[in-house]
Amino acid sequence: MALDVLVVAPLHHELEGILTKLDEPIEISGKRVVGTLIGVGKVVSALATQQAILAYQPKQVVLLGFGGAVDPNLEIGSALIATKVVQYDLDLRRFRLAWGDTFGPEGTVVKGTLDLFAPPLDGFAPAVFGTADRFLLRSEREQHPELATELGIGLADMEGYPVALACRMHHIPCTLLRIVSDDAQGRRAKQFPVFAKQGRKKLSEGLHSLLEEPREKSPTSL
């Protein structure tokens, strides 16, 4: 089944109400779109995204969800579009690789920082996302200022990099849109259901704006 856009999210509450159905094609802005859930964490989300790409053969992939701020200037509810995503919990620099890089098959190097399709979207600020298999606590942010100073990470998540890597392997443009759910001080929304509803509204608006982008603006390769 070939379609225009595959929309993925880790959990149901990040996609609820944005798409009327999951795992069934619908039409948005004249494009055939399928939404599916990929779970939490790098391995689970990588496998689920790979499986969805093989099943649906999309021309574009969009990840929607929430994430934690690393940049102290970001507020709860801030809407971000990733210009790059970094795998920051893999560090093989002692083997003369860049931070986040790893060894691939036959001596190749898999880059730990990936560029993304990030056109200007109203209401969404550009940022670098950082992915790791852990929830980044306030104490860890304070203990590791290099995440911001060296890698330039503005927001932390647990699925962005593997989704982008799966897309890169298939030469598919990838966009990551997230809403800040907790700030760099570790503060969270007092009423999460209200925050989640408002966050999904922003994600829906961003998705619709993105799908209205002319196809020629999308990169042909990553």
Side-chain angles (χ1 to χ4, degrees), residues 27 42 85 90 99 124 157 166 179 186 194 215:
E27 185 170 310
K42 289 164 58 178
V85 62
L90 180 59
W99 193 345
F124 282 77
D157 73 3
I179 307 298
V194 175
R215 170 55 56 184

Side-chain angles (χ1 to χ4, degrees), residues 67-72 74-76 135-142 180-190:
V70 176
D71 183 345
L74 293 175
E75 299 178 350
I76 295 171
F135 184 86
L136 195 62
L137 300 174
R138 174 184 176 182
S139 59
E140 294 172 321
R141 294 167 182 155
E142 294 173 345
V180 174
S181 58
D182 51 294
D183 65 19
Q185 287 71 45
R187 293 176 297 218
R188 303 179 188 177
K190 294 181 179 179

Side-chain angles (χ1 to χ4, degrees), residues 2-6 56-61 171-174 215 218-219:
L3 75 156
D4 295 305
V5 184
L6 173 66
Y56 296 119
Q57 303 175 42
K59 298 176 183 177
Q60 183 178 3
V61 174
H171 307 287
I172 301 171
C174 179
R215 170 55 56 184
S218 299

Side-chain angles (χ1 to χ4, degrees), residues 5 28-31 33 60 62 117 119-122 204-218:
V5 184
I28 300 178
S29 300
K31 295 182 173 66
V33 180
Q60 183 178 3
V62 182
F117 178 48
L121 292 181
D122 288 343
S204 179
E205 292 170 350
L207 176 64
H208 281 75
S209 296
L210 180 68
L211 298 190
E212 291 169 0
E213 285 288 313
R215 170 55 56 184
E216 57 267 20
K217 288 188 178 181
S218 299

